[in-house]
C-alpha cells in the first residue's frame, strides 16, 4: 500500500485540479487581453500571459480537463471493450476469436495519423471525435494483451478446477480469468492513457483535435511554438505538466498492478532479527589422505527483507575418492544451497558466513572468482536437475561438449570434437556421430541428461556434484542414468556428491549418506548403517514415510519450517515424537556416534538403547 | 463386484497434429481403453509420461471430448446429460491436480475458492461448510482467509482436495496428487485420501507413476504404456507378482530401500517411443527383452491370466509369467 501513496497522491492532485477548475476562481481561459500579450509573471497571472494575452495558469488547468478527459475516456472505452474482446476471443476461440481478436488486426494496419485524418474529415474536429479515434486506436492493444493472457491462464489447473466444479463460462471469465489477467491489462491502461495524452496534444497541435480557442495542452504547445524565441516559458509549462502527468500515471499503474497481486504483499511485519549463533568451531580434524572434498562448518547467510536467514548452517562432511555421498533432504532442507555454495554459484544476496571447504589443497569458499572459474567444469563439475534448461537450445550438443573441453584445455577444435565423440560413446549414447549434430530439442530427457553427464566428465573431474539429476525423468530412464553414474564412478574413481530427496535412490547409488533437515545435517554415516539403524528420529520418520508396499507409510506431522522461522535448539523438535523440553534449550552439535557416524540429537543415546529392546 | 458407478468402454483420444503448413502426426494419447470404477472403489492408473494416464482421467470426467468410445455414469452416457442435468453431474465428478502451485487461483482467498463448489450448486450457506471441509482435510477455519502463497505444498494439496469435496462428489480423479510433494508429506496426503474414501464412500481414479503408492491405496491397478493397457488386476498381486514385461521393468526400476527386495534390475533399453509414432503390434515390443517377431504382427488382446482376476496384454504371458 505504501508504494501506492506517492503516485496515487500525485495523480489525485492532477485530477482534482482538473475537476475543480470551475471552482478555483481562475481567470477566463479564453478571454483575450492583447495589451498584455506575452507578458511575464504578473499579478493574477503567476505564469504570465500567452500570445493573445490569455492567462497561462488558467489555460493549463482548464486544458488538463480537456486533455485528461479525452485521454481517460478513450483509454477506458478501449480498455473495457478490448478486454471483453480478448476474454471472449481467448476463451471461446474459433468464431469468437475471428470476430473479436482477428478483426482488431485490421485496425493495426492503418497508420494512426491517417485514421485520425480520415475520421476528422468525415466528422469534423472536436473532443468527441478525438475520443472516438483514440478508443479505436487503442482497442487492438487491449484485445491482444488480454487474449494472450487468457490463452496462458486457461491452461492453468485452477481454471480447469473451476470448470470441473461446474461453473458457467461467464462466471469463470469474470471471477477466475479476469483477476489473473488484470496485471498486464492495467499496465496497458497506463500506457494507453499516457500515450493518449501525448496523441491528443499531437493531434490538437496539427489542428485535428480540440478546436481553438478551447484550451488544451496540445493547442498551448502549438500556440507557443510561433513565439518560441520571445517567450520560451510558454512552451515549457504545457510540456512540463504533460511529462509530469505521464510519469505519475505510469508509476500509479505499476503500483496498482503490484497491489492487486496478493503474492507481492510486502505488508507483513518484519521478523525480529534472530540471535546470531556462533558458527560451530570444530577442531580442524586432519582429513584422510584420500579425501577429495572436506567441508567444515559451512554456513550460508542471506539478507532478506525480513532479516538475515541461514538456509545452511554448520554443515560438515567428507567425500573420498571413488565414493558416492548422498545428501538427502526434503525441499527447504538446504541441500542445494550447500552445493551451490561449494561451486561458488551462490546468488549475490547470499554470502558465506562461516566455514571452509578444501578440495585437495585449495580452499573453495575464499577462492577468487577467477580461480573458481578454472575449477568449475575442470576439477569439479556439476549435473543439474533439469536437462531441458541446462543445455543451450541454439547450439548442437556436440559443440557444447567440445566447448566444455576447450574451455579448460589448449587443444585444437578437431581434437576436442574427437574427444567429445568418445565421451558421447562413454555415456552410452548410440550413434554418437549423428547425435552430436542434434540440437537439444531433438533429444529425449534421458538423452539430454547423458549429454550433461558427458559435459561434466569432459575434463576428468575429481568431484562430480549431481543435483537431483534424475528427478525430472521417468523411473525406467532414471534407472538407466543411475546405472551409468555407478559405472562411471567405478571406472574413473571420481568422487560423487548426489543430492536427492528420494531415499530409494540413496539406497540404490550411495555409499554414505548425509541427512539434512532445516539447513543442518542431522545424521550421517554409511547407507547400510543409517538405513538399518537410524539414530535420529527424523531419519527414522523419513524412512517410515516411504511407501514400500506392505506397511502403510506414516507421514510426519507438520511442515518443514521456513528459514526465517527455524526453531531454537533442535529444529526437528516441534515435529518429533520424542521431543523433550531440553531439546529446545540450545543449539545442538553434530556428535560423533561411532566411526564415520554423526548425529545431531539431544536424546540419541537414550533412544538408541530403547530401540534395541524392541525386537526387530 | 457391485454395479459400476462410472464406466469407460473402448475409450480413445487422438490429439490432432499441430502446425499450419506441415501437420505433424496426430498423437494417439489413449487407445481403446475399458475402465470401470464401482462405488467406494479406488482404481490406480500407473504409467510413465506419455502413457495417456492423465488424458484418461480428463476423459472420464468429461473435461475433454473422447474421439471414440463412451463414458457412462450409472449406465447413462455422458453425452446424454445436458443443461441442468450436466451441471448436477459436474457435482458428482471432481478432480485433484498434481501441481499444488498451479492448481489454486493465486488471487483469491482459499475460503472463497472452496465456497465456489457450494455456491455454484446452491448447496446452502457456504461459511460453515467451508470450515467443515477445511477441518475435514486437516486445516483450520482461520485458514479460509489466507491466499494460496501462504501455504506449503502439502497444505495446498489439502486445499485442492477440500475444493474437490465441496460439491460432495461420488467420484474423484486424483491426477498424481502426491508426486510433487516431499515424502513425509506424501504419506500424510495418501492417508487423507484413504480416510476420505473410507468415510465418504468416495470412488477414486488414482493416477500415478509410482506403483508402490498405488499398491498402498488402491483395490485395482491398471498399468498403461503409450495409450494402451498392459496389465490390470488386483493391486497387491500385480505389485508383488507382476506378469507383463513392462510392469516388471517398471517395478524393478523403482528405487527401493530394502536391498533384499531389489531384485535383479531389468534395465530397459532406450526411451519410450513417441505417442505420435507408436510401434506396430505390441507398443512395448521395442524395449521388451522378451519380444519376438510375432509381437509386431497384431495388437495383443488384454486376456485373463491366472486365477486372481488379472488381465494381461502379452502374447507370451503364459511362457514368461
Amino acid at each position: 500500500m505504501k508504494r501506492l501513496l506517492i503516485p496515487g497522491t500525485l495523480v489525485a492532485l492532477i485530477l482534482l485540479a482538473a475537476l475543480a477548475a470551475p471552482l478555483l476562481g481562475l481567470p477566463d481561459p479564453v478571454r483575450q487581453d492583447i495589451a498584455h500579450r506575452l507578458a511575464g509573471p504578473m499579478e493574477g497571472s503567476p505564469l504570465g500571459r500567452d500570445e493573445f494575452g490569455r492567462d497561462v495558469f488558467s489555460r493549463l488547468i482548464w486544458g488538463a480537463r480537456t486533455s485528461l478527459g479525452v485521454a481517460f475516456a478513450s483509454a477506458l472505452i478501449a480498455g473495457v471493450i478490448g478486454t471483453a474482446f480478448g476474454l471472449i476471443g481467448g476463451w471461446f476461440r474459433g468464431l469468437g476469436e475471428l470476430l473479436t481478436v482477428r478483426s482488431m488486426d485490421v485496425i493495426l494496419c492503418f497508420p494512426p495519423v491517417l485514421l485520425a485524418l480520415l475520421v476528422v474529415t468525415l466528422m469534423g474536429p472536436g473532443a468527441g471525435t478525438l475520443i472516438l479515434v483514440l478508443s479505436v486506436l487503442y482497442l487492438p492493444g487491449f484485445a491482444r494483451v488480454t487474449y494472450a493472457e487468457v490463452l496462458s491462464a486457461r491452461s492453468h489447473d485452477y481454471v480447469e478446477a473451476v470448470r470441473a466444479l461446474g461453473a458457467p463460462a461467464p462466471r469463470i471469465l469474470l471471477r477466475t480469468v479476469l483477476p489473473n489477467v488484470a496485471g498486464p491489462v492495467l499496465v496497458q491502461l497506463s500506457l494507453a492513457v499516457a500515450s493518449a495524452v501525448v496523441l491528443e496534444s499531437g493531434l490538437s497541435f496539427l489542428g485535428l483535435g480540440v478546436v481553438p480557442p478551447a484550451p488544451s495542452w496540445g493547442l498551448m504547445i502549438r500556440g507557443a511554438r510561433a513565439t518560441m524565441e520571445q517567450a520560451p516559458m510558454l512552451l515549457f509549462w504545457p510540456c512540463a505538466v504533460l511529462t509530469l502527468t505521464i510519469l505519475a500515471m505510469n508509476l500509479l499503474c505499476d503500483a496498482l498492478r503490484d497491489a492487486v497481486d496478493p503474492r507481492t504483499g510486502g505488508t507483513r511485519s518484519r521478523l525480529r532479527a534472530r540471535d546470531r549463533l556462533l558458527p560451530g568451531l570444530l577442531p580442524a580434524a586432519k582429513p584422510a589422505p584420500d579425501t577429495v572434498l572436506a567441508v567444515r562448518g559451512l554456513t550460508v547467510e542471506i539478507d532478506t527483507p525480513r532479516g538475515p536467514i541461514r538456509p545452511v548452517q554448520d554443515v560438515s562432511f567428507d567425500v573420498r575418492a571413488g565414493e558416492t555421498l548422498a545428501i538427502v533432504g526434503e525441499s527447504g532442507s538446504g541441500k542445494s544451497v550447500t552445493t551451490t555454495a561449494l561451486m561458488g554459484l551462490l546468488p549475490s544476496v547470499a554470502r558465506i558466513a562461516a566455514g571452509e571447504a578444501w578440495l585437495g589443497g585449495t580452499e573453495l569458499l575464499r577462492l577468487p572468482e577467477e580461480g573458481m572459474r578454472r575449477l568449475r567444469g575442470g576439477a569439479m563439475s556439476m549435473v543439474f536437475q533439469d536437462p531441458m534448461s541446462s543445455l543451450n537450445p541454439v547450439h548442437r550438443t556436440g559443440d557444447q561438449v567440445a566447448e566444455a573441453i576447450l574451455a579448460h584445455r589448449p587443444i585444437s577444435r578437431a581434437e576436442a570434437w574427437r574427444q567429445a565423440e568418445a565421451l558421447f560413446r562413454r555415456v552410452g549414447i548410440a550413434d554418437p556421430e549423428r547425435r552430436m549434430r542434434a540440437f537439444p530439442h531433438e533429444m529425449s530427457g534421458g538423452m539430454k541428461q547423458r549429454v550433461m553427464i558427458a559435459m561434466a566428465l569432459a575434463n576428468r573431474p575429481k568431484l562430480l556434484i549431481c543435483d537431483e539429476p534424475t528427478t525430472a525423468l521417468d523411473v525406467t530412464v532414471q534407472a538407466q542414468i543411475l546405472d551409468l553414474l555407478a559405472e562411471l564412478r567405478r571406472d574413473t574413481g571420481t568422487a560423487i556428491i548426489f543430492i536427492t530427496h528420494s531415499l530409494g535412490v540413496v539406497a540404490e547409488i550411495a555409499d554414505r549418506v548425509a541427512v539434512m533437515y532445516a539447513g543442518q545435517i542431522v545424521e550421517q554415516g554409511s547407507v547400510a548403517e543409517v538405513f538399518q539403524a537410524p539414530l535420529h528420529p527424523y531419519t527414522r520418520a523419513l524412512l517410515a514415510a516411504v511407501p514400500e508396499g506392505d506397511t502403510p507409510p506414516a507421514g510426519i506431522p507438520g511442515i518443514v519450517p521456513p528459514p526465517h522461522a527455524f526453531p531454537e535448539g533442535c529444529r526437528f523438535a516441534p515435529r518429533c515424537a520424542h521431543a523433550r523440553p531440553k531439546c529446545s534449550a540450545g543449539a545442538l552439535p553434530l556428535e560423533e556416534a561411532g566411526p564415520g557416524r554423526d548425529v545431531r540429537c539431544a536424546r540419541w543415546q537414550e533412544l538408541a538403547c530403547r530401540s534395541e529392546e524392541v525386537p526387530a | 463386484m457391485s454395479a459400476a458407478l462410472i464406466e469407460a468402454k473402448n475409450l480413445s483420444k487422438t490429439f490432432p497434429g499441430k502446425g499450419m503448413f506441415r501437420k505433424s502426426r496426430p498423437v494417439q494419447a489413449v487407445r481403446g481403453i475399458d475402465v470401470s470404477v464401482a462405488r467406494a472403489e479406488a482404481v490406480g492408473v500407473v504409467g510413465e509420461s506419455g502413457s495417456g494416464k492423465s488424458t484418461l482421467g480428463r476423459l472420464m470426467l468429461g473435461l475433454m471430448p473422447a474421439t471414440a468410445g463412451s463414458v457412462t455414469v450409472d449406465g447413462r452416457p455422458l453425452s446424454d446429460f445436458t443443461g441442468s442435468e450436466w451441471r448436477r453431474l459436474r457435482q458428482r465428478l471432481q478432480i485433484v491436480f498434481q501441481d499444488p502451485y498451479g492448481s489454486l487461483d493465486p488471487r483469491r482467498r482459499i475460503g472463497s475458492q472452496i465456497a465456489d463448489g457450494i455456491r455454484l450448486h446452491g448447496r446452502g450457506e457456504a461459511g460453515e461448510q467451508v470450515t467443515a471441509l477445511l477441518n475435514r482435510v486437516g486445516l483450520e477455519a482461520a485458514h479460509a482467509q489466507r491466499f494460496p502463497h501462504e501455504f506449503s505444498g502439502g497444505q495446498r494439496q489439502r486445499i485442492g482436495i477440500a475444493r474437490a469435496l465441496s460439491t460432495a462428489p461420488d467420484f474423484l480423479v486424483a491426477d498424481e496428487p502426491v508426486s510433487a510433494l516431499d515424502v513425509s508429506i506424501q504419506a500424510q496426503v495418501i492417508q487423507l485420501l484413504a480416510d476420505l474414501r473410507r468415510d465418504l464412500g468416495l470412488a477414486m481414479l488414482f493416477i500415478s507413476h509410482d506403483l508402490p503408492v498405488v499398491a498402498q491405496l488402491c483395490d485395482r491397478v491398471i498399468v498403461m504404456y503409450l495409450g494402451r493397457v498392459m496389465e490390470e488386476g488386483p493391486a497387491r498381486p500385480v505389485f508383488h507378482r507382476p506378469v507383463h514385461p513392462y510392469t516388471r521393468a517398471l517395478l524393478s526400476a523403482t528405487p527401493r530401500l530394502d536391498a533384499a527386495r531389489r531384485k535383479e534390475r531389468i534395465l530397459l533399453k532406450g526411451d519410450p517411443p513417441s505417442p505420435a509414432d507408436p510401434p506396430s503390434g505390441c507398443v512395448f515390443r521395442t524395449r521388451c527383452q522378451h519380444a519376438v517377431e510375432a509381437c509386431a504382427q497384431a495388437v495383443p488382446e488384454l486376456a485373463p491370466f491366472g486365477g486372481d482376476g488379472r488381465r494381461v496384454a502379452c502374447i507370451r504371458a503364459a511362457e514368461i509369467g
Side-chain angles (χ1 to χ4, degrees):
Chain A
M1 285 303 113
K2 213 162 60 185
R3 287 199 51 194
L4 269 176
L5 201 64
I6 297 169
T9 321
L10 215 52
V11 171
L13 276 178
I14 295 169
L15 289 181
L16 207 66
L19 287 175
L23 308 175
L24 292 177
L26 295 163
D28 187 350
V30 294
R31 194 178 56 85
Q32 305 190 352
D33 179 7
I34 301 299
H36 290 103
R37 192 171 173 268
L38 300 177
M42 54 189 274
E43 206 194 324
S45 296
L47 300 181
R49 300 281 180 91
D50 71 358
E51 72 275 20
F52 295 113
R54 296 173 297 199
D55 180 48
V56 171
F57 185 70
S58 169
R59 281 182 73 77
L60 271 184
I61 303 285
W62 281 95
R65 273 172 88 88
T66 331
S67 292
L68 293 179
V70 167
F72 274 96
S74 53
L76 280 177
I77 292 172
V80 170
I81 300 177
T83 308
F85 275 19
L87 283 173
I88 293 166
W91 187 259
F92 295 104
R93 310 294 303 270
L95 189 65
E97 182 181 334
L98 191 76
L99 288 178
T100 54
V101 180
R102 299 290 159 213
S103 65
M104 290 294 105
D105 295 356
V106 176
I107 298 176
L108 288 176
C109 301
F110 280 100
V113 175
L114 207 63
L115 191 72
L117 268 171
L118 193 73
V119 177
V120 171
T121 319
L122 290 176
M123 297 183 56
T129 316
L130 214 48
I131 291 175
L132 179 73
V133 171
L134 293 179
S135 320
V136 171
L137 279 180
Y138 292 128
L139 206 50
F142 282 100
R144 294 228 70 135
V145 165
T146 315
Y147 170 72
E149 288 296 317
V150 172
L151 284 191
S152 85
R154 62 177 278 155
S155 65
H156 277 123
D157 282 347
Y158 59 79
V159 176
E160 182 133 346
V162 187
R163 272 183 69 206
L165 287 175
R171 189 188 163 95
I172 301 178
L173 282 175
L174 290 180
R175 298 232 21 209
T176 305
V177 178
L178 188 59
N180 280 293
V181 305
V185 172
L186 274 177
V187 173
Q188 180 73 15
L189 193 69
S190 85
L191 293 175
V193 170
S195 87
V197 173
V198 176
L199 211 56
E200 181 277 327
S201 303
L203 288 175
S204 298
F205 177 81
L206 292 174
L208 299 174
V210 178
V211 190
S216 103
W217 293 344
L219 282 178
M220 289 178 73
I221 296 172
R222 180 190 183 184
R225 198 186 57 118
T227 57
M228 204 158 61
E229 282 170 17
Q230 296 105 299
M233 288 312 273
L234 284 187
L235 197 59
F236 172 79
W237 293 118
C239 291
V241 289
L242 195 61
T243 312
L244 184 74
T245 310
I246 292 163
L247 277 179
M249 278 304 302
N250 287 351
L251 280 177
L252 178 70
C253 280
D254 278 357
L256 260 182
R257 182 199 54 200
D258 291 348
V260 296
D261 190 340
R263 283 164 298 187
T264 50
T267 49
R268 241 178 297 170
S269 62
R270 281 168 72 105
L271 214 82
R272 84 190 150 84
R274 299 197 70 82
D275 310 355
R276 292 196 168 202
L277 299 163
L278 276 171
L281 291 167
L282 287 175
K286 197 169 179 286
D290 61 343
T291 299
V292 172
L293 178 75
V295 180
R296 293 287 172 272
L298 173 65
T299 300
V300 176
E301 191 166 270
I302 299 178
D303 283 322
T304 71
R306 306 189 205 174
I309 56 168
R310 294 189 159 182
V312 168
Q313 184 150 41
D314 187 20
V315 164
S316 306
F317 58 82
D318 288 343
V319 197
R320 282 183 285 274
E323 178 185 72
T324 302
L325 169 75
I327 301 181
V328 68
E330 300 183 276
S331 38
S333 62
K335 53 192 193 300
S336 287
V337 180
T338 303
T339 49
T340 316
L342 294 175
M343 291 294 283
L345 295 174
L346 283 177
S348 55
V349 291
R351 59 191 182 80
I352 288 161
E356 46 196 69
W358 293 89
L359 181 77
T362 318
E363 209 283 296
L364 297 176
L365 303 183
R366 278 156 199 85
L367 200 64
E369 175 55 25
E370 177 55 28
M372 269 325 281
R373 202 189 54 74
R374 267 199 298 275
L375 280 181
R376 279 197 295 261
M380 57 196 285
S381 56
M382 195 154 177
V383 178
F384 295 93
Q385 172 175 351
D386 184 6
M388 326 300 161
S389 57
S390 305
L391 284 170
N392 189 332
V394 299
H395 290 296
R396 295 178 197 280
T397 52
D399 281 330
Q400 297 191 46
V401 176
E403 205 54 56
I405 299 172
L406 285 171
H408 288 273
R409 277 185 277 159
I411 53 173
S412 70
R413 185 157 279 278
E415 171 64 16
W417 183 266
R418 207 185 51 72
Q419 290 194 11
E421 193 180 317
L423 282 166
F424 267 62
R425 199 163 280 129
R426 184 73 201 74
V427 296
I429 296 179
D431 197 1
E433 294 89 349
R434 195 167 60 83
R435 287 298 180 184
M436 285 174 77
R437 290 179 203 288
F439 287 98
H441 71 267
E442 296 169 307
M443 293 183 152
S444 68
M447 186 85 73
K448 273 183 276 204
Q449 203 55 295
R450 284 175 195 268
V451 174
M452 285 303 295
I453 293 171
M455 204 184 293
L457 292 176
N459 298 301
R460 301 182 202 95
K462 283 190 272 183
L463 176 68
L464 180 65
I465 298 178
C466 301
D467 189 355
E468 305 241 11
T470 58
T471 306
L473 306 175
D474 277 324
V475 282
T476 57
V477 181
Q478 164 171 289
Q480 295 169 354
I481 298 290
L482 292 181
D483 259 41
L484 171 67
L485 285 171
E487 191 189 313
L488 291 172
R489 182 194 51 159
R490 213 169 36 237
D491 297 352
T492 60
T494 302
I496 297 180
I497 296 179
F498 196 101
I499 298 183
T500 178
H501 65 273
S502 160
L503 293 164
V505 170
V506 174
E508 299 271 343
I509 193 161
D511 305 302
R512 291 198 309 118
V513 59
V515 182
M516 283 191 78
Y517 182 78
Q520 296 176 326
I521 291 182
V522 294
E523 177 164 9
Q524 62 180 337
S526 80
V527 172
E529 279 177 22
V530 171
F531 282 22
Q532 279 302 314
L535 292 176
H536 198 285
Y538 175 65
T539 317
R540 215 170 300 150
L542 207 53
L543 286 165
V546 177
E548 277 280 288
D550 292 325
T551 47
I556 306 176
I559 56 170
V560 179
H564 59 83
F566 283 155
E568 294 291 333
C570 173
R571 292 177 175 175
F572 184 61
R575 302 173 73 191
C576 180
H578 306 284
R580 295 284 180 275
K582 69 170 174 178
C583 296
S584 302
L588 292 175
L590 193 64
E591 282 180 65
E592 193 166 335
R597 190 77 195 278
D598 301 314
V599 63
R600 195 189 294 268
C601 173
R603 301 187 66 209
W604 71 268
Q605 274 156 322
E606 291 170 58
L607 296 173
C609 297
R610 197 184 302 170
S611 66
E612 268 164 27
E613 289 159 21
V614 181
Chain B
M1 199 183 297
S2 58
L5 167 69
I6 185 161
E7 191 168 20
K9 281 229 169 68
N10 194 26
L11 201 59
S12 296
K13 176 72 184 177
T14 305
F15 293 103
K18 290 222 170 82
M20 194 180 273
F21 299 109
R22 202 181 54 174
K23 288 246 183 219
S24 59
R25 305 176 75 138
V27 173
Q28 300 172 312
V30 169
R31 302 207 273 169
I33 287 190
D34 299 328
V35 194
S36 77
V37 185
R39 276 178 201 284
E41 189 189 26
V43 174
V45 180
V46 177
E48 296 179 276
S49 46
S51 63
K53 55 191 192 303
S54 291
T55 306
L56 176 65
R58 302 288 198 283
L59 290 172
M60 299 274 287
L61 292 176
L63 285 176
M64 58 170 73
T67 313
S70 67
V71 177
T72 56
V73 176
D74 289 335
R76 284 180 64 194
L78 284 184
S79 51
D80 261 22
F81 294 85
T82 48
S84 62
E85 272 192 327
W86 174 254
R87 288 191 50 197
R88 270 201 298 281
L89 179 70
R90 279 260 57 91
Q91 292 186 53
R92 302 178 54 193
L93 316 176
Q94 282 302 316
I95 182 163
V96 174
F97 296 91
Q98 167 175 3
D99 175 13
Y101 295 91
S103 59
L104 297 176
D105 187 339
R107 297 187 182 251
R108 287 173 60 202
R109 294 177 200 280
I110 62 140
S112 137
Q113 297 194 45
I114 296 172
D116 269 355
I118 300 162
R119 296 214 182 93
L120 275 168
H121 299 286
R123 296 170 40 82
E125 180 52 42
E128 271 175 41
Q129 294 188 47
V130 169
T131 306
L133 284 166
L134 283 171
N135 291 336
R136 187 70 201 78
V137 298
L139 295 170
E140 291 156 27
H143 287 143
Q145 293 309 314
R146 299 202 191 154
F147 286 101
H149 70 271
E150 297 174 55
F151 294 93
S152 70
Q155 289 173 320
R156 287 172 190 231
Q157 210 55 307
R158 291 171 187 272
I159 296 164
I161 293 171
R163 177 179 58 195
L165 294 179
S166 67
T167 62
D170 305 325
F171 176 65
L172 189 68
V173 169
D175 189 356
E176 302 245 18
V178 298
S179 308
L181 304 179
D182 278 320
V183 63
S184 70
I185 307 296
Q186 246 183 35
Q188 295 174 1
V189 173
I190 293 170
Q191 192 55 50
L192 172 63
L193 287 171
D195 291 348
L196 291 175
R197 189 189 148 204
R198 193 190 58 228
D199 300 347
L200 307 176
L202 204 56
M204 230 178 260
L205 191 74
F206 186 88
I207 299 169
S208 176
H209 64 273
D210 198 357
L211 202 45
V213 170
V214 170
Q216 274 305 323
L217 190 69
C218 298
D219 309 298
R220 283 191 302 128
V221 60
I222 296 172
V223 181
M224 286 181 73
Y225 183 81
L226 280 187
R228 291 195 189 276
V229 175
M230 299 287 106
E231 178 165 1
E232 69 163 299
R236 297 216 163 213
V238 170
F239 175 68
H240 285 291
R241 204 174 58 81
V243 171
H244 195 284
Y246 175 64
T247 320
R248 290 183 183 186
L250 189 64
L251 199 63
S252 90
T254 308
R256 307 296 290 274
L257 285 184
D258 188 350
R261 278 178 184 276
R262 235 180 289 148
K263 295 180 202 139
E264 202 161 303
R265 174 76 61 76
I266 305 166
L267 212 52
L268 292 181
K269 294 183 295 285
D271 298 302
S274 156
D277 188 18
S280 67
C282 172
V283 284
F284 183 58
R285 68 179 167 83
T286 51
R287 298 173 80 200
C288 179
Q289 55 178 352
H290 302 288
V292 291
E293 252 174 61
C295 294
Q297 303 306 319
V299 176
E301 206 176 316
L302 196 61
F305 181 92
D308 55 7
R310 186 191 304 227
R311 297 200 295 160
V312 178
C314 177
I315 54 169
R316 301 190 65 198
E319 276 172 73
I320 61 181

